[in-house]
Amino acid sequence: MLSSTKMEYSKLKLWFFLALILIPLVVGEPQVPCFFIFGDSLVDNGNNNNRLTIAKANFSPYGIDFPDGPTGRFTNGRDMVDIIAELLGFDKYIPPFGSATNEDILRGVNYGSGAAGILDETGRQMGDVISLNEQLWNHEVTISRIAELLGGETAAKEHLSECIYYVGMGNNDYLLNYLPKFHSSITPFSPQQYAQILISHYSKQLQKLYDNGARKVAVLALGELGCVPQQLATYGPSDGSTCVEKSNHAVQFFNEKLKHLVDNLNDLHDDAKFVYTISATSTSYDNITFKTVPCCGATSDGGVGECLPGVVPCSNRDEYLFWDQFHPSDAANSITAKIAYIFITFTAYIHTLAIYIMDRWVFVCVVVTVVVNIPYRVVAEPQVPCYFIFGDSLVDNGNNNAIQTLARANYLPYGIDFPDGPTGRFCNGKTTVDVIGKDTDLKLTYNLTLTAELLGFDDYIPPYAKARGRQILRGVNYASAAAGIRQETGQQLGARIDFTAQVNNYKNTVAQVVDILGDEDSAADYLSKCIYSIGVGSNDYLNNYFMPNYYSTSRRYSPDQYADVLIQQYTQQLRALYNYGARKFALIGVGQIGCSPNALAQYSPDGSTCVRIINGANQIFNNNMRALVDEFNSNTQDAQFIYIDAYGIFQDLIENPSAFGFRVTNAGCCGVGRNNGQITCLPFQPTCQNRDEYLFWDAFHPTEAANIVVGRRFYSAQKASDAHPFDIRRLAQL
């Protein structure tokens, strides 16, 4: 009797044999009207060519065996999906999104991007890559165009329901994100935890694909990444051939969870078929024996070298499993594609076949672009030279850590999802200004035009408490939790840096800039090009006006009068910033404070209905701020002010949470009491597990997931009402 491993291997060989028999029968019209492709460098056919990234392959010897030469494909010839398209009967390869015409899109689009991943952060060290989330937004653009061509959404969805969707993601989330940390023992997540993080994101992304009309979806499993030449050279034994089992073991958790995810999606959607697809080939199939060192970029140390422009590759390319240190050759892609094609087309047998997928097979599904030991690098410059941030706990990134105050967040579980752990950010991860400023996080927009990038800084803007030397030339974050426009705001919590004090700190920074640049004129010219983000006012309501036990403002002023008082002082503070060189102002309105878990816990009868009196007062202030923007723009010809409607953006999230991936909007992920909002997140307190499904992290502050959505809309308006007279993206261009 065959051993279990040999039995499973025999099953795979049987399917490969069927592929060889049946594939030649593919003739005539395509088997499906269209083929949509989502992925990374395994399928990228040119989408990265015109982006600011080093993850490119539009130069020789890439494409040496492709009819059109170098196109952006990360191999010597065809991608795996090129071959699947041939097998499906298409007479042309599926075009990249960046160049697809109206005629093209009816038969499919390739959205793949080298270095991209399931997580938005993955691959950002390579520059401007297109994450799976952005690929899905690009697909929505395509759907809109198809609806116009076919005469409406109904016709478009009927057309899309007949198409095959290929989704191959996750490799870079390991190779460019998790595994380097895993091998150095600095990652905060176990392999099981990280796999669950990826699957939680992937689940929402595949659900979004379904919501947009996909009904035939092939989801690619990850390969044995520990067998990739780069992994062997970096972490493998000295023989340079034995796979790195530690890496392979970490990846297995993802594949197991992915199988369950596919099953769950099929259980949820009777009108769709999700297929768990292996992209597998052994180093030997019958009489085909592959060499496992790279054909291009191979070196004596096992493949650390990358395929560089003009390098002469091996001549016998069909004998090589890997083209470069990460990507399969055309020959390997041909075998892998034929197996995947059988899995895709024989969907009735997929569930049964899934039990034969064994961990010991060598999967060639490696999707990374350019990583180590590259002698050159293309670095995108930020859109503005510097970014100065003023505000409160929504954007404080550590200024309160060293002062005597209760308003601190430099302890776990704050920062649980931030790369550096607890930093003083009042969130589980990134804040809105992190999203706007740092290109390695999210160089993409939320609106469907997808024409802009975020500001493009290669690191987070440092807090004033730590900013030193020339570091200040790219900007400083002056924000302080509990701070407000009024000096007394938040005093019950202890020390804090009110807006006037923040402006004075900026004045000190200006003096340092003058010293660095040599004279006041040079400093003034430099600072005039920077963006100044100001988000204050929330605490003047939360920690002042609506705390009558501590403050008398609600007894002295009506909501209209109080808004006028705040705007008068705010005007003086903005003029002081102007006098110190600021010229590009982004004024962030106050959000829906009356919908925070704290407000709901204290004042909402049902714990869900937003507190109207608080939101109403906020809106009076916001309306006055918008009018102030118009006034400044009319009276200050050499400066530009914009207003960002945080209130309206949060209203969209609260009224239609599922559209943005949120399930819980009335409670904090971490906190104590009713709605987890009566006491904020305590040190080392357990949090909710599904943090990305919560709008609020604690009693007052949004989660990273919410900050990502909101930060994108701050930067690039999705609706006309998001920004007035225009958004931060346009402000950066002035």
Side-chain angles (χ1 to χ4, degrees), residues 392-418 420-431 434 466 479-482 493 495 670 680-685 697-702 707:
D392 47 38
S393 57
L394 292 174
V395 294
D396 185 352
N397 64 345
N399 285 308
N400 275 24
N401 290 353
I403 63 177
Q404 297 298 315
T405 180
L406 296 175
R408 290 185 188 173
N410 56 341
Y411 56 83
L412 286 172
Y414 287 98
I416 190 173
D417 297 314
F418 193 74
D420 300 327
T423 58
R425 289 167 169 85
F426 286 75
C427 184
N428 59 306
K430 295 180 284 286
T431 66
D434 293 327
K466 292 185 177 181
S480 172
L493 296 173
C670 182
T680 197
C681 199
L682 300 176
F684 303 104
Q685 180 182 351
W697 163 247
D698 61 13
F700 303 100
H701 307 99
N707 283 331

Coordinates of all heavy atoms in Angstrom, one line a residue, residues 392-418 420-431 434 466 479-482 493 495 670 680-685 697-702 707:
D392 N -4.6 67.4 19.4 CA -4.8 66.8 20.7 C -4.5 65.3 20.7 O -3.7 64.8 19.9 CB -6.2 67.1 21.2 CG -7.2 66.8 20.1 OD1 -7.1 65.8 19.3 OD2 -8.2 67.6 19.9
S393 N -5.2 64.5 21.5 CA -4.9 63.1 21.6 C -5.2 62.3 20.3 O -4.7 61.2 20.1 CB -5.7 62.4 22.7 OG -7.1 62.6 22.6
L394 N -6.0 62.9 19.4 CA -6.2 62.2 18.1 C -5.0 62.0 17.3 O -4.9 61.1 16.4 CB -7.3 62.9 17.3 CG -8.7 62.9 17.9 CD1 -9.6 63.8 17.1 CD2 -9.3 61.5 17.9
V395 N -4.0 62.9 17.5 CA -2.7 62.9 16.7 C -1.5 63.0 17.6 O -0.4 62.9 17.1 CB -2.7 64.0 15.7 CG1 -3.8 63.8 14.7 CG2 -2.9 65.4 16.3
D396 N -1.6 63.1 18.9 CA -0.4 63.1 19.8 C 0.3 61.8 19.6 O -0.2 60.7 19.6 CB -0.9 63.2 21.3 CG 0.2 63.3 22.3 OD1 1.4 63.1 21.9 OD2 -0.1 63.5 23.5
N397 N 1.6 61.9 19.4 CA 2.5 60.7 19.2 C 3.6 60.6 20.2 O 4.6 60.0 19.9 CB 3.0 60.6 17.7 CG 3.9 61.8 17.4 OD1 4.0 62.8 18.2 ND2 4.7 61.6 16.3
G398 N 3.4 61.2 21.4 CA 4.4 61.0 22.4 C 4.8 62.3 23.2 O 5.6 62.2 24.1
N399 N 4.2 63.4 22.9 CA 4.5 64.6 23.6 C 4.1 64.6 25.0 O 4.7 65.3 25.9 CB 3.9 65.9 22.9 CG 4.7 66.2 21.6 OD1 5.9 66.3 21.6 ND2 3.9 66.3 20.5
N400 N 3.1 63.9 25.4 CA 2.6 63.8 26.8 C 3.4 62.8 27.6 O 3.2 62.7 28.8 CB 1.1 63.5 26.8 CG 0.3 64.8 26.7 OD1 0.8 65.8 26.1 ND2 -0.9 64.7 27.2
N401 N 4.3 62.0 27.0 CA 4.9 60.9 27.8 C 5.7 61.4 29.0 O 5.8 60.7 30.0 CB 5.8 60.1 26.8 CG 5.0 59.3 25.8 OD1 3.8 59.3 25.9 ND2 5.7 58.7 24.9
A402 N 6.4 62.6 28.8 CA 7.3 63.0 29.8 C 6.8 64.2 30.7 O 7.5 64.8 31.5 CB 8.6 63.5 29.2
I403 N 5.5 64.4 30.6 CA 4.9 65.5 31.5 C 3.9 64.9 32.5 O 3.5 63.7 32.3 CB 4.2 66.6 30.6 CG1 3.0 66.0 29.9 CG2 5.1 67.2 29.6 CD1 2.2 67.0 29.1
Q404 N 3.7 65.6 33.5 CA 2.8 65.1 34.6 C 1.4 65.2 34.3 O 0.7 66.3 34.4 CB 3.1 65.9 35.9 CG 4.5 65.8 36.4 CD 4.9 64.4 36.8 OE1 4.1 63.7 37.5 NE2 6.0 63.9 36.4
T405 N 0.8 64.1 33.7 CA -0.5 64.1 33.3 C -1.1 62.7 33.3 O -0.4 61.7 33.2 CB -0.6 64.7 31.8 OG1 -2.0 64.7 31.4 CG2 0.2 63.8 30.9
L406 N -2.4 62.6 33.4 CA -3.1 61.4 33.3 C -3.4 61.0 31.8 O -3.8 59.9 31.5 CB -4.5 61.4 34.1 CG -4.4 61.6 35.6 CD1 -5.8 61.8 36.2 CD2 -3.6 60.4 36.2
A407 N -3.3 62.0 31.0 CA -3.5 61.9 29.6 C -2.3 61.3 28.9 O -1.6 62.0 28.2 CB -4.0 63.2 28.9
R408 N -2.1 60.0 29.1 CA -1.0 59.3 28.4 C -1.4 58.0 27.8 O -2.4 57.4 28.3 CB 0.1 59.0 29.5 CG 0.9 60.2 30.0 CD 2.0 59.7 30.9 NE 2.7 60.7 31.6 CZ 3.6 60.5 32.6 NH1 3.8 59.3 33.0 NH2 4.1 61.5 33.2
A409 N -0.7 57.6 26.8 CA -1.0 56.3 26.2 C 0.3 55.5 25.8 O 0.4 54.9 24.8 CB -1.8 56.5 25.0
N410 N 1.3 55.7 26.7 CA 2.6 55.0 26.4 C 2.7 53.7 27.1 O 3.8 53.3 27.7 CB 3.8 55.9 26.8 CG 3.7 56.4 28.2 OD1 2.7 56.3 28.9 ND2 4.9 56.8 28.7
Y411 N 1.7 52.9 27.0 CA 1.6 51.6 27.6 C 0.7 50.7 26.8 O -0.2 51.1 26.1 CB 1.2 51.7 29.1 CG -0.2 52.3 29.3 CD1 -1.4 51.6 29.1 CD2 -0.3 53.7 29.6 CE1 -2.6 52.2 29.2 CE2 -1.5 54.3 29.7 CZ -2.7 53.5 29.6 OH -3.9 54.1 29.7
L412 N 1.0 49.4 26.9 CA 0.1 48.4 26.3 C -1.3 48.4 27.0 O -1.3 48.6 28.2 CB 0.7 47.0 26.3 CG 1.9 46.8 25.3 CD1 2.5 45.5 25.5 CD2 1.4 46.9 23.8
P413 N -2.3 48.1 26.2 CA -2.4 47.7 24.8 C -2.4 48.8 23.8 O -2.6 48.5 22.6 CB -3.7 46.9 24.8 CG -4.6 47.6 25.8 CD -3.7 48.0 26.9
Y414 N -2.2 50.1 24.2 CA -2.0 51.1 23.2 C -0.8 50.8 22.4 O 0.2 50.3 22.9 CB -1.8 52.5 23.8 CG -3.1 53.1 24.4 CD1 -3.4 53.0 25.8 CD2 -4.1 53.7 23.6 CE1 -4.6 53.4 26.3 CE2 -5.2 54.2 24.1 CZ -5.5 54.1 25.4 OH -6.7 54.6 25.9
G415 N -0.9 50.9 21.1 CA 0.2 50.6 20.2 C 0.4 49.1 19.9 O 1.4 48.7 19.3
I416 N -0.6 48.3 20.2 CA -0.5 46.9 20.0 C -0.3 46.5 18.6 O 0.3 45.5 18.2 CB -1.7 46.2 20.6 CG1 -1.5 44.7 20.6 CG2 -3.0 46.5 19.8 CD1 -2.6 43.9 21.3
D417 N -0.8 47.4 17.7 CA -0.7 47.1 16.2 C 0.3 48.1 15.5 O 0.4 48.1 14.3 CB -2.0 47.2 15.5 CG -3.0 46.1 16.1 OD1 -2.5 45.0 16.2 OD2 -4.1 46.5 16.4
F418 N 1.0 48.9 16.3 CA 2.0 49.8 15.8 C 3.3 49.2 15.7 O 3.7 48.5 16.7 CB 2.0 51.1 16.6 CG 2.7 52.2 15.9 CD1 2.1 52.9 14.9 CD2 4.0 52.6 16.3 CE1 2.8 54.0 14.3 CE2 4.6 53.7 15.7 CZ 4.0 54.4 14.7
D420 N 6.3 50.1 16.4 CA 7.2 50.4 17.5 C 6.5 50.2 18.9 O 7.1 50.5 19.9 CB 7.7 51.8 17.4 CG 8.5 52.1 16.1 OD1 9.1 51.1 15.7 OD2 8.4 53.2 15.6
G421 N 5.3 49.6 18.9 CA 4.6 49.3 20.1 C 4.0 50.6 20.7 O 3.7 51.6 20.0
P422 N 3.9 50.7 22.0 CA 3.3 51.9 22.6 C 4.3 53.1 22.5 O 5.4 53.0 22.9 CB 3.1 51.5 24.1 CG 3.2 50.0 24.1 CD 4.1 49.7 23.0
T423 N 3.8 54.2 21.9 CA 4.6 55.4 21.6 C 4.0 56.6 22.3 O 4.7 57.6 22.3 CB 4.8 55.6 20.1 OG1 3.4 55.8 19.6 CG2 5.5 54.5 19.4
G424 N 2.8 56.5 22.7 CA 2.1 57.7 23.2 C 0.9 58.0 22.3 O 0.1 58.9 22.6
R425 N 0.7 57.2 21.2 CA -0.4 57.3 20.3 C -1.6 56.7 21.0 O -1.6 55.6 21.5 CB -0.2 56.6 19.0 CG 0.8 57.4 18.1 CD 1.2 56.4 16.9 NE 2.0 57.2 15.9 CZ 3.3 57.4 16.0 NH1 4.0 57.0 17.0 NH2 3.9 58.1 15.0
F426 N -2.8 57.5 21.0 CA -4.0 57.0 21.7 C -4.8 56.1 20.7 O -5.9 56.5 20.3 CB -4.8 58.2 22.1 CG -4.2 58.9 23.3 CD1 -3.1 59.7 23.2 CD2 -4.8 58.7 24.6 CE1 -2.5 60.3 24.3 CE2 -4.2 59.3 25.7 CZ -3.1 60.1 25.6
C427 N -4.2 55.0 20.3 CA -4.8 54.1 19.3 C -4.1 52.8 19.4 O -3.0 52.7 20.0 CB -4.6 54.8 17.9 SG -5.3 53.9 16.6
N428 N -4.7 51.8 18.7 CA -4.0 50.5 18.6 C -2.9 50.5 17.6 O -2.0 49.7 17.6 CB -5.0 49.4 18.3 CG -5.7 49.6 17.0 OD1 -6.3 50.7 16.8 ND2 -5.7 48.7 16.1
G429 N -2.9 51.5 16.7 CA -1.9 51.6 15.6 C -1.7 53.0 15.2 O -1.3 53.9 16.0
K430 N -1.9 53.3 13.9 CA -1.6 54.6 13.3 C -2.7 55.6 13.6 O -3.9 55.2 13.6 CB -1.3 54.4 11.8 CG -0.1 53.6 11.5 CD 0.1 53.4 10.0 CE -0.8 52.5 9.4 NZ -0.5 51.1 9.6
T431 N -2.3 56.8 13.6 CA -3.3 57.9 13.7 C -3.5 58.5 12.2 O -2.8 58.1 11.3 CB -2.8 59.1 14.6 OG1 -1.6 59.7 14.0 CG2 -2.4 58.5 16.0
D434 N -0.4 59.9 10.7 CA 0.5 58.9 10.3 C 0.2 58.4 8.9 O 1.0 58.3 8.0 CB 0.5 57.7 11.2 CG 1.1 58.0 12.6 OD1 2.0 58.9 12.7 OD2 0.6 57.4 13.6
K466 N 11.0 64.9 21.0 CA 12.1 64.2 20.6 C 12.8 64.7 19.4 O 13.9 64.2 19.0 CB 11.7 62.7 20.4 CG 11.3 61.9 21.6 CD 11.0 60.5 21.3 CE 10.7 59.7 22.6 NZ 10.4 58.3 22.3
A479 N 1.3 68.0 18.9 CA 0.0 67.7 19.5 C 0.2 67.1 21.0 O 1.2 66.5 21.3 CB -0.7 66.6 18.7
S480 N -0.8 67.4 21.7 CA -0.8 67.0 23.2 C -2.2 66.6 23.6 O -3.2 67.3 23.4 CB -0.4 68.2 24.0 OG -0.5 67.9 25.4
A481 N -2.3 65.4 24.1 CA -3.6 64.8 24.6 C -4.2 65.8 25.6 O -3.4 66.3 26.5 CB -3.4 63.5 25.1
A482 N -5.5 65.9 25.6 CA -6.3 66.8 26.5 C -6.2 68.3 26.2 O -6.8 69.1 26.9 CB -5.9 66.5 28.0
L493 N -7.0 66.8 34.1 CA -6.2 65.7 33.8 C -4.7 65.9 34.1 O -3.9 65.0 34.0 CB -6.3 65.2 32.4 CG -7.7 64.8 32.0 CD1 -7.8 64.5 30.5 CD2 -8.1 63.5 32.7
A495 N -1.0 68.2 33.5 CA -0.3 69.0 32.5 C -0.7 68.6 31.1 O -1.1 67.5 30.8 CB 1.2 68.9 32.7
C670 N -11.3 48.6 23.6 CA -10.7 48.4 24.9 C -11.3 49.5 25.8 O -11.3 50.7 25.4 CB -9.2 48.6 24.7 SG -8.3 48.4 26.3
T680 N -11.4 54.7 30.2 CA -10.6 54.3 28.9 C -9.7 53.1 29.1 O -9.7 52.5 30.2 CB -9.8 55.6 28.5 OG1 -9.4 55.4 27.1 CG2 -8.6 55.8 29.3
C681 N -8.9 52.8 28.1 CA -8.2 51.5 28.1 C -7.1 51.5 29.2 O -6.2 52.4 29.2 CB -7.5 51.4 26.7 SG -7.0 49.8 26.3
L682 N -7.1 50.6 30.1 CA -6.2 50.5 31.2 C -5.0 49.7 30.8 O -5.0 48.9 29.9 CB -6.9 49.8 32.4 CG -8.2 50.5 32.9 CD1 -8.8 49.7 34.1 CD2 -7.8 51.9 33.4
P683 N -3.9 49.9 31.6 CA -2.6 49.2 31.3 C -2.8 47.7 31.2 O -3.4 47.1 32.2 CB -1.7 49.6 32.4 CG -2.1 50.9 32.8 CD -3.6 50.9 32.7
F684 N -2.4 47.1 30.1 CA -2.4 45.6 29.9 C -3.7 45.0 29.9 O -3.9 43.8 30.1 CB -1.4 44.9 30.9 CG 0.0 45.4 30.9 CD1 0.4 46.3 31.9 CD2 0.8 45.1 29.9 CE1 1.7 46.8 31.8 CE2 2.1 45.6 29.8 CZ 2.6 46.4 30.8
Q685 N -4.8 45.8 29.7 CA -6.1 45.3 29.7 C -6.3 44.5 28.4 O -5.9 44.9 27.3 CB -7.1 46.4 29.7 CG -8.6 46.0 29.7 CD -9.5 47.2 29.7 OE1 -9.1 48.3 29.9 NE2 -10.8 46.9 29.5
W697 N -11.4 52.6 19.2 CA -10.4 51.8 20.0 C -10.7 51.9 21.5 O -10.7 50.9 22.1 CB -9.0 52.4 19.7 CG -8.0 51.9 20.7 CD1 -7.3 52.7 21.6 CD2 -7.5 50.6 20.9 NE1 -6.4 52.0 22.3 CE2 -6.5 50.7 22.0 CE3 -7.7 49.4 20.3 CZ2 -5.8 49.5 22.4 CZ3 -7.1 48.2 20.8 CH2 -6.1 48.3 21.8
D698 N -11.0 53.1 22.0 CA -11.3 53.2 23.4 C -12.5 54.1 23.5 O -13.3 54.3 22.6 CB -10.1 53.7 24.2 CG -9.6 55.1 23.8 OD1 -10.3 55.8 23.0 OD2 -8.5 55.5 24.2
A699 N -12.6 54.8 24.7 CA -13.8 55.6 25.0 C -13.9 56.8 24.0 O -15.0 57.3 23.8 CB -13.8 56.1 26.4
F700 N -12.8 57.3 23.5 CA -12.8 58.5 22.7 C -12.2 58.4 21.3 O -12.6 59.1 20.4 CB -12.1 59.6 23.4 CG -12.6 59.9 24.8 CD1 -12.0 59.4 25.9 CD2 -13.7 60.7 25.0 CE1 -12.4 59.6 27.2 CE2 -14.2 61.0 26.3 CZ -13.5 60.4 27.4
H701 N -11.2 57.5 21.1 CA -10.4 57.5 20.0 C -10.7 56.4 19.0 O -10.9 55.3 19.4 CB -8.9 57.4 20.4 CG -8.6 58.4 21.5 ND1 -8.5 58.1 22.8 CD2 -8.3 59.7 21.4 CE1 -8.2 59.2 23.5 NE2 -8.0 60.2 22.7
P702 N -10.5 56.7 17.7 CA -10.8 55.7 16.6 C -9.7 54.7 16.6 O -8.6 54.9 17.1 CB -10.8 56.5 15.3 CG -10.9 58.0 15.8 CD -10.3 58.1 17.1
N707 N -8.9 55.2 11.4 CA -7.9 56.3 11.0 C -7.5 56.2 9.6 O -7.2 57.2 8.9 CB -6.7 56.3 12.0 CG -7.1 56.9 13.3 OD1 -7.9 57.8 13.4 ND2 -6.4 56.4 14.4

